[in-house]
Amino acid sequence: MSGFGGRARDWFNGGDPDGWVKIRAWARGHDGSSEGYTYGMMGPAAGLSVLAAVLYAPTKGYGSIVALVLAIFLLLGRHMIERQVARDASDLREAERQYARTRNPEYLDFTELRAGGLLEDNKMLTRQTRTWLGERVEWARAEKDKRDRRAKRDGRKGRGGRNSGR
């Protein structure tokens, strides 16, 4: 009997000890793939769709229309924000590439301000996106510090160094 019970347990677990966790993730729509730069809104949209079905009879369809319109706005709003963040991420990558090529400090300012602004203003960013943007801000600040130290060092050498007979 334990053989059948063990096989049944393995089947319910998907043949994996973490099967229930994986099944739960699948049912919620999280299959382990990247969500993008922002959190997905399919869960709340599905909830609004269920609410629309529940509200159909008592509200003669008007409540359903409101719930479905809200779901559409939610999905379109997420799509719009995702596109904007993707555009900004592309700009940040290009700024880093151009800084490596030209050493123009304006690229550092742009990176720090744009990444910092995204972190401050956008609450829908995934943990991975927030980490990546934080790393961009830290990189820009570190490069600025290096530039400042180099400028101080080169300025001191240009005046004759430490023992220049003062």
Side-chain angles (χ1 to χ4, degrees), residues 33-49:
S33 61
S34 173
E35 294 182 53
Y37 294 107
T38 59
Y39 287 110
M41 291 289 122
M42 282 307 294
L48 284 169
S49 298

Side-chain angles (χ1 to χ4, degrees), residues 7-156:
R7 281 188 287 161
R9 186 175 52 251
D10 285 345
W11 183 82
F12 279 112
N13 286 336
D16 189 349
D18 296 329
W20 283 111
V21 174
K22 292 178 181 176
I23 291 170
R24 193 175 316 119
W26 173 81
R28 292 180 178 165
H30 299 287
D31 59 354
S33 61
S34 173
E35 294 182 53
Y37 294 107
T38 59
Y39 287 110
M41 291 289 122
M42 282 307 294
L48 284 169
S49 298
V50 169
L51 180 65
V54 169
L55 290 176
Y56 183 77
T59 62
K60 297 183 177 151
Y62 293 111
S64 297
I65 291 171
V66 171
L68 292 174
V69 167
L70 285 174
I72 290 170
F73 278 134
L74 187 69
L75 293 174
L76 290 176
R78 191 270 178 161
H79 178 70
M80 184 180 70
I81 291 170
E82 179 74 22
R83 286 184 58 196
Q84 180 62 43
V85 173
R87 211 172 311 142
D88 289 344
S90 176
D91 291 346
L92 289 169
R93 286 186 191 97
E94 183 62 21
E96 186 174 352
R97 192 176 76 74
Q98 290 298 327
Y99 176 75
R101 191 173 71 78
T102 65
R103 295 293 181 206
N104 185 345
E106 289 180 7
Y107 290 116
L108 298 175
D109 294 335
F110 171 82
T111 299
E112 185 176 6
L113 292 173
R114 179 65 58 95
L118 278 172
L119 282 170
E120 190 174 310
D121 296 340
N122 199 325
K123 305 301 180 210
M124 285 183 59
L125 299 174
T126 61
R127 187 178 311 121
Q128 296 90 352
T129 304
R130 287 189 170 284
T131 302
W132 183 77
L133 288 170
E135 289 169 356
R136 296 301 95 216
V137 170
E138 290 174 16
W139 169 80
R141 288 179 182 160
E143 288 294 321
K144 280 182 177 181
D145 289 343
K146 279 192 230 176
R147 283 185 67 84
D148 292 345
R149 283 193 304 260
R150 232 181 274 133
K152 283 182 183 177
R153 186 185 69 220
D154 292 346
R156 191 170 45 223

